[in-house]
Amino acid sequence: MAQKKAALACSVCGSRNYTITLGQNRRVERLEIKKFCKYCNKQTLHRETK
């Protein structure tokens, strides 16, 4: 079975900087993590996208 992937997009500029693999457990809310954005050149909130 292939693993499902999701992208993490910067909430400021909208660029998709990171990818994650989704586990078997299903979440209702989307993942939100503070990560470094190389386009904004600072730490911003990244949200999970499809």
Side-chain angles (χ1 to χ4, degrees):
M1 179 192 298
Q3 298 219 344
K4 295 206 174 200
K5 292 184 180 178
L8 294 179
C10 177
S11 61
V12 177
C13 66
S15 63
R16 296 179 180 191
N17 301 321
Y18 298 96
T19 57
I20 57 171
T21 56
L22 299 175
Q24 294 296 329
N25 56 351
R26 298 291 176 200
R27 294 187 310 269
V28 176
E29 297 140 5
R30 296 194 176 196
L31 184 65
E32 294 183 348
I33 304 175
K34 283 191 88 171
K35 294 187 82 65
F36 183 78
C37 178
K38 63 182 179 182
Y39 301 104
C40 298
N41 203 22
K42 59 183 174 181
Q43 270 199 340
T44 59
L45 187 67
H46 282 67
R47 293 193 177 106
E48 177 184 342
T49 60
K50 295 289 178 180

